Amino acid sequence: IALVLNLVSTLVSSAALVREKDSGTLEQLLMTPVNSHQILLAKVVPLSMLLMLTVFVALGVATLVFHVPFRGNFFLFLFVSFMAILVGISIGIALAAYSQNQRQSLLTSFFINLPVIQLSGAIAPLESMPEFFQWLSILDPLRYYVTCVRCIVLKGVGLEEIWPNVLALAAYAFVLLALSSSRFRKQLK
């Protein structure tokens, strides 16, 4: 779930914003009476809803097809997934703000997503990594989502056990969204 969510949220958000920047749609939106906050919100909200649908589909496939037991709080799982979606979208917005065209944003996203996925603990356990990479993984927001999902879905753990990871994920979502949207708004002006 974490890998799909990270890749889709980053790639779709960056591709959509760069495509609109290339076609001139964003400049046309700036001539309307809406401000840059509203434009960015109009891009983030529908994409986050679509990605939440992806979470439901992935969870349905995991439980119905692969018989993965869901033992935890469903609403906590949705909240943590929403925070991970915001992190992915904010990375995509940052890529769109720094990229000149769609090809550049796509290639740059692979250079960002591959280390993020490798350091998350989703493919290989964090404990089996060299100590340097274990320390480096602290900077990886996907690490906290993977830990939360494993604890919620497989172990049935509540917020009282995983609150540091949820707090770290929410902090990453807030900070990255604020920084990337600030950079994107500066580009719109």
Side-chain angles (χ1 to χ4, degrees), residues 58-70 153:
L59 185 62
V61 168
T63 56
L64 298 175
V65 176
F66 295 110
H67 305 291
V68 175
F70 189 90
V153 173

Side-chain angles (χ1 to χ4, degrees), residues 38-175:
Q38 293 168 330
I39 293 172
L40 202 54
L41 193 63
K43 302 297 175 198
V44 170
V45 170
L47 184 57
S48 61
M49 287 182 191
L50 180 67
L51 290 168
M52 283 304 287
L53 183 65
T54 304
V55 169
F56 284 115
V57 169
L59 185 62
V61 168
T63 56
L64 298 175
V65 176
F66 295 110
H67 305 291
V68 175
F70 189 90
R71 296 188 172 111
N73 186 338
F74 183 69
F75 295 107
L76 179 60
F77 172 75
L78 291 180
F79 175 75
V80 169
S81 296
F82 184 70
M83 289 297 115
I85 287 170
L86 289 181
V87 168
I89 289 174
S90 62
I91 292 171
I93 291 170
L95 286 173
Y98 287 103
S99 299
Q100 301 298 322
N101 55 37
Q102 200 166 358
R103 188 176 319 146
Q104 184 182 12
S105 74
L106 181 68
L107 292 174
T108 307
S109 73
F110 284 112
F111 284 108
I112 290 172
N113 282 329
L114 288 178
V116 165
I117 290 170
Q118 290 293 330
L119 292 174
S120 70
I123 295 177
L126 293 172
E127 297 80 22
S128 68
M129 293 181 188
E131 190 174 340
F132 171 75
F133 291 112
Q134 289 180 18
W135 283 100
L136 191 61
S137 73
I138 293 172
L139 301 174
D140 184 1
L142 193 59
R143 168 195 172 154
Y144 302 105
Y145 180 64
V146 168
T147 303
C148 289
V149 168
R150 281 187 181 148
C151 288
I152 294 169
V153 173
L154 298 176
K155 299 177 186 175
V157 172
L159 185 60
E160 64 278 354
E161 296 286 329
I162 60 169
W163 69 266
N165 291 316
V166 174
L167 188 63
L169 189 61
Y172 270 110
F174 178 75
V175 169

